[in-house]
Amino acid sequence: MIPSAIWDPEFECMHVDALRELQLERLRKVVRRAWGHVPYYRQKMQVVGVTPSDIKTLEDIRKLPFTTKDDLRLCYPYEAFAVPLEKVVRIHASSGTTGKSTVVGYTRKDMEVWTNVVARFLVAGGLTSKDIVHIAFSYGLFTGGFGLHYGAERVGASVIPVSAGRSERQIQIMRDFGSTALVCTPSYAVYLGELVQGMGLKPGDLKLRVGFFGAEAWSNRVREEIQAKLGLFATDNYGLSEIIGPGVAGECVHQNGMHISEDHFYPERIDPDTCEPVGPDRRGELVLTTLTKEAIPLIRYRTRDICMLMPGTCPCGRTGARMSKITGRSDDMLIIRGANIYPSQVEEVLLDVKGTLPHYQLVVSREGALDRLEVRVEVSEEFFADEMKKLNELDRQIEHKLENVLGIRASVKLVEPRTIERSEGKAKRVLDLRPKE
Ligand code: DLL
């Protein structure tokens, strides 16, 4: 196993009672800040009849209203800021695929916290100052490139800001510069792994040792695939622009849940329909409160990400709660012929089927009045070279399993390796071609 150190033991290994005390103190401060400096928040609190002095215990957080992406859109661009712009040293924005983007700002202190929490998960996953870090996230409004860059520099590693795109050149740079750590989305790592093979290279031709992948959901099977193809040890990390960017949570070398930096981000889990808290061993929507952010304090932000929280100390010594892999988003549900379908259900079915690759796409269309779901799945080279009979069997097997899990029929289209479009950033799993109502 890769050895790892602890970056910030005072906080990462804090006794849980002391952590709760710190969280309460910080929560009260952040609520006062929002009330005092963001009129939009004050109004929201007034509507539910709560004031900062009502927050006496951590449980009182439930009295506070939730914040959603729509709230932030209404505050576009700067109305959610709790500090004047002259105190803001960085601005990022999240992609605006479904409307206006949300704009986020950082004070100098926010930058310090951000850098530090990214350094935490990098060190937890095995990064050291001796590493050469190849960052293939895009640098720009997306928080991935700059977030990982600053954190890796803080650890003292040598950082190569390659950014996204020109994949063959990426591999050339990894070879020539002797990169030992790779940072990108897991789907791009799979693609780079395929390209390494396609270029006739073996994992040993690269010096990669560790990989830090995040920004989208991925399964443990994809992890195995990346580890085997690139010859590295892969960990998952999670974050979102609204909260800080990458650095909310990350796995340690035990690869068993992502440690949340609970001294900066207070996690809750709710049932997305009733908004009531869910029990410890049940999945729920993650709700986060920033405990230290100055520029944009966010209270009870509904992330829409579905996960479980695992309490208890990890063998690595960190005491904060760990979050499981994200298994879906409460808003990525598709309604097809009345059935509620999550892309992650399809992925789960495919993971069980030998011969399929982790590249798939759901194509939803409308024929007459009826919605149609086609699941395109790449199959491995060996399978494709096989006789037709075997492919038909595989097709039928997947259709049968999908119907069992989804409750509706989906047609399966097996496609050749490398025919589903690859992305340099987050993978696009759903193509909804139905006319917008
Ligand atoms: O994706 C921040 C980030 C950059 C995280 C680099 C990790 C590494 P956004 O573009 O605002 O920010 O997208 C946030 O991406 O709500 C999740 O749905 C998804 N997401 C992020 N990390 C993970 C992960 C960045 N490890 C949204 N697993 C979040 C699953 C993830 N989903």
Side-chain angles (χ1 to χ4, degrees):
M1 185 184 280
I2 299 264
S4 81
I6 296 181
W7 177 253
D8 216 351
E10 185 191 343
F11 292 101
E12 291 181 78
C13 305
M14 204 169 199
H15 190 280
V16 171
D17 294 342
L19 177 63
R20 298 289 169 252
E21 243 176 69
L22 180 74
Q23 286 175 321
L24 176 60
E25 182 194 316
R26 290 183 168 177
L27 174 67
R28 298 181 67 170
K29 206 162 149 193
V30 84
V31 172
R32 279 201 302 273
R33 167 183 281 279
W35 172 274
H37 297 278
V38 189
Y40 185 83
Y41 265 137
R42 187 177 326 145
Q43 275 164 21
K44 281 195 76 158
M45 289 187 215
Q46 280 165 338
V47 168
V48 295
V50 60
T51 66
S53 57
D54 292 320
I55 308 303
K56 296 191 177 74
T57 66
L58 272 178
E59 286 65 47
D60 287 337
I61 196 169
R62 290 195 207 143
K63 295 179 180 163
L64 295 163
F66 292 106
T67 313
T68 62
K69 206 172 177 94
D70 283 342
D71 289 320
L72 290 179
R73 288 203 179 110
L74 285 173
C75 292
Y76 181 87
Y78 298 138
E79 256 172 63
F81 284 27
V83 294
L85 272 182
E86 66 189 60
K87 295 253 184 272
V88 171
V89 297
R90 176 78 71 75
I91 291 171
H92 281 278
S94 75
S95 49
T97 41
T98 54
K100 262 191 197 161
S101 58
T102 49
V103 178
V104 290
Y106 304 73
T107 63
R108 208 167 284 289
K109 189 170 151 243
D110 292 336
M111 288 302 299
E112 185 57 30
V113 169
W114 190 17
T115 303
N116 210 31
V117 288
V118 172
R120 281 184 188 181
F121 80 71
L122 289 173
V123 167
L127 194 81
T128 75
S129 59
K130 295 202 183 91
D131 279 299
I132 301 176
V133 187
H134 181 108
I135 299 190
F137 272 137
S138 72
Y139 281 66
L141 289 180
F142 175 58
T143 50
F146 282 102
L148 268 294
H149 183 109
Y150 276 59
E153 257 186 20
R154 176 61 60 88
V155 175
S158 315
V159 181
I160 320 176
V162 190
S163 197
R166 299 180 61 192
S167 306
E168 293 198 351
R169 183 169 159 265
Q170 301 260 0
I171 289 163
Q172 188 67 46
I173 291 176
M174 280 189 238
R175 283 187 84 184
D176 295 351
F177 293 18
S179 312
T180 58
L182 174 64
V183 170
C184 58
T185 57
S187 55
Y188 193 53
V190 171
Y191 178 51
L192 288 176
E194 289 167 354
L195 211 59
V196 165
Q197 273 186 341
M199 287 164 78
L201 300 171
K202 287 184 278 318
D205 294 328
L206 300 175
K207 294 213 174 70
L208 290 177
R209 192 179 73 78
V210 281
F212 300 88
F213 307 115
E216 64 181 7
W218 54 310
S219 59
N220 279 324
R221 184 172 139 198
V222 169
R223 186 200 313 259
E224 280 162 26
E225 170 116 11
I226 296 173
Q227 296 193 143
K229 286 218 164 95
L230 289 171
L232 49 70
F233 182 86
T235 50
D236 191 1
N237 66 85
Y238 169 85
L240 58 166
S241 346
E242 291 83 358
I243 295 296
I244 200 156
V248 171
E251 278 180 333
C252 68
V253 292
H254 294 280
Q255 296 178 321
N256 183 21
M258 295 181 273
H259 294 274
I260 302 179
S261 275
E262 274 202 84
D263 49 330
H264 296 290
F265 315 107
Y266 184 77
E268 296 174 84
R269 248 155 344 115
I270 58 164
D271 176 322
D273 297 322
T274 62
C275 291
E276 288 302 316
V278 298
D281 47 2
R282 282 194 43 216
R283 289 181 198 291
E285 180 184 328
L286 183 68
V287 170
L288 291 169
T289 297
T290 63
L291 295 174
T292 50
K293 273 282 280 301
E294 288 185 335
I296 307 193
L298 273 194
I299 293 168
R300 304 196 85 198
Y301 184 71
R302 290 192 59 175
T303 65
R304 304 285 172 186
D305 295 317
I306 306 290
C307 69
M308 287 202 289
L309 287 187
M310 303 175 248
T313 304
C314 173
C316 72
R318 291 174 181 84
T319 47
R322 278 166 290 159
M323 54 187 272
S324 67
K325 279 190 167 294
I326 304 285
T327 51
R329 287 181 53 85
S330 61
D331 58 359
D332 71 1
M333 187 181 79
L334 292 159
I335 303 183
I336 302 171
R337 299 200 292 273
N340 298 349
I341 313 280
Y342 290 94
S344 56
Q345 291 175 296
V346 172
E347 175 157 331
E348 246 163 66
V349 166
L350 296 178
L351 288 178
D352 268 354
V353 181
K354 206 166 161 275
T356 62
L357 292 172
H359 297 292
Y360 65 93
Q361 203 163 40
L362 279 68
V363 184
V364 195
S365 56
R366 186 161 292 162
E367 276 169 17
L370 214 60
D371 289 343
R372 189 169 177 273
L373 171 64
E374 179 180 272
V375 179
R376 294 183 187 158
V377 192
E378 280 187 17
V379 286
S380 57
E381 207 88 60
E382 311 86 74
F383 245 95
F384 224 86
D386 249 318
E387 16 170 331
M388 210 52 196
K389 203 170 123 221
K390 265 200 167 165
L391 279 175
N392 286 341
E393 258 168 38
L394 184 65
D395 199 318
R396 267 198 303 276
Q397 188 194 353
I398 302 176
E399 280 187 353
H400 181 69
K401 287 192 177 200
L402 281 175
E403 190 169 355
N404 267 342
V405 172
L406 306 180
I408 59 161
R409 271 190 76 82
S411 66
V412 171
K413 186 173 175 190
L414 300 177
V415 297
E416 284 185 55
R418 286 179 287 285
T419 44
I420 291 177
E421 198 191 331
R422 302 293 191 257
S423 151
E424 292 157 4
K426 306 189 189 215
K428 194 162 172 34
R429 301 284 188 208
V430 178
L431 222 60
D432 197 339
L433 307 173
R434 291 176 291 188
K436 297 271 167 288
E437 253 118 59

